[in-house]
Amino acid sequence: MSNYGKNYQVIVVGAGHAGCEAALASARMGCTTLLLTIGLDTVAQMSCNPSIGGLAKGHLVHEVDALGGEMGLNIDATGIQFRRLNTRKGPAVRAARAQADRMAYSARMKNVIENEALLDLKQGLVEEVLVEQNRIVGVKTREGLEFLGQTVVLTTGTFMRGLIHVGLNHYAGGRAGEPSAEGISASLASYGLRVGRLKTGTPARLSARSIDFSKLERQAGDKVVKPFSFMTGSIDRKQVDCYIAETNERTHEIIRNNLDKSPLYAGIIEGIGPRYCPSIEDKIVRFPDKNSHQSFIEPECLKGSEMYPSGLSTSLPPEVQLAYFRSMVGFESVEIMRPGYAIEYDFIEPMQLKATLETRVIDGLFHAGQINGTSGYEEAAGQGILAGINAARQCQEQPPVVIGRDQGYLGVMIDDLITQPTTDPYRMFTSRSEYRLLLREDNADQRLTELGRKIGLVSDERWRCYVEKQKQVEAAMSFLQDTKVTSSDSLTVEKLNLGDLKSGVSLEQLLRRPEINIQDVTSVCSGLRDYSPQALEQVEIAIKYEGYIKRQREQVKRDREQEDVKLPETLDYDAIPSISTEVREKLKKIKPTSLGQAGRIQGVTPAAIAVIQIYLRKKSS
């Protein structure tokens, strides 16, 4: 055993999407940081779908960006198709999604990391955490090398005791072609952390040369691209096409006839798979009446031939995968470049975490990403940046950063993780937020950039962009309120179809009409053309949804009454009368930080919350 000889303030284990954000955050905040990865060539690897964003996930990317993170900038620079989802629905659920060139995405992120002044990137497989008197002091690699640090952020992905399944064959691996980390789970368990088992999967990768795209439905990107990052001015490069394919009854028959070769149905897989992204064999069994399932056929990179068939993840044997693909229209002669597989891996139950993502058992040890039972690059990045922030803040002897449910989807996700049992891999949805009209993509900077600046993560350039946008929002709002349209403005009346106009109205009042949008108003009012599309979008939403936004802010105010009632970690729940043993045990296990958080714990009743509130009042009087 040997010591590397250099002490770090923050050590990040794993260079996936969580690890990259954690390491960049701590280094940019002024902490000497080490990022350890099993392979230097797999930084920010897109193990499954090479895409970023989507419903609610796009919100997380915008929030990471608003805090000063890298994911939004990285996808803006390496995306090959951009689409805006839910454009016909309300602003709360509109979301950005982009297909990435996975090789370019990884290469750019690695370059950013290698050029960050206080950040060292090194190769090493961590097998053990080093703890002294319940305090993390470093990590030890498989080679016996010790790295010492004040704090450690574990972002191990699917590598902890990873087990890959292809048909009835299985072998140890954290990802196809990469080893698993066999010792770290036992190391964590030895200190009292509860370890669980989950499962995920990925589809086969197909050769583009062997697909007849003329038989598939073409899906182009948006003509006008809305960037992910608030710092990206515009994206005007050429985009690639994706395609839509369908399974059929013959496909389903092949899968049904081979279920005995699926480790999922042969009882070999122990871990629980993602409820919202099931394998194709799971879909066939769970939805027997469906004649077909849709798949988006998406390119993995610009200079390669691999295509990603979304929605068709599987653990069936390669020969069965080939047979069912060739039963689909357009895939009659398809060739598989990499077979799909399922992977089981260990995770640490996240109810053992504080809202800062620090473990309750080991001081200075933080967890982010799939180690917390989540799925998705965006969920990982969100946890990563907050874990990195709080690891750095602890090193700097500064108070931790906790984001509330009313501040961001980041807050919703972490609150869910630490208060609800993990029964399957957690995925973010807009429906998880009770304040989703306030937590939109367009206003993520308004919600979080000032916080990022305060803690030293938002750069001068990012701050300048933020301040400029806010000035434009205020100026555009004033312009719309102050500019009147009268019946004598014949051109405006005609273009906006205002034949019923009797007296003068402001542009703001006109914009409240459902049939008029900001583009209509801009077309007749040259004074608005000086403002950015981002500023005008935010102004339009604020005007059109003013009543709804006001009601939701009032709801936040009411809910904060319970959030403001803090529960000390030392609170003796055994001393509180009239609450059930089950509720008492859950409160002692999770140790909620506020009365509001206690109320969100599964099984903690409103009656129990009322009893605790009365107890606290009596104790303080």
Side-chain angles (χ1 to χ4, degrees), residues 397-414:
E397 298 183 350
Q398 295 292 323
V401 170
V402 175
I403 293 179
R405 294 181 71 92
D406 60 326
Q407 289 179 281
Y409 278 94
L410 295 174
V412 173
M413 171 174 62
I414 292 171

Side-chain angles (χ1 to χ4, degrees), residues 561-580:
E561 292 177 6
Q562 286 200 333
E563 295 298 329
D564 290 341
V565 179
K566 300 304 177 186
L567 302 178
E569 196 165 330
T570 55
L571 182 61
D572 183 7
Y573 290 101
D574 290 326
I576 303 176
S578 305
I579 57 174
S580 70

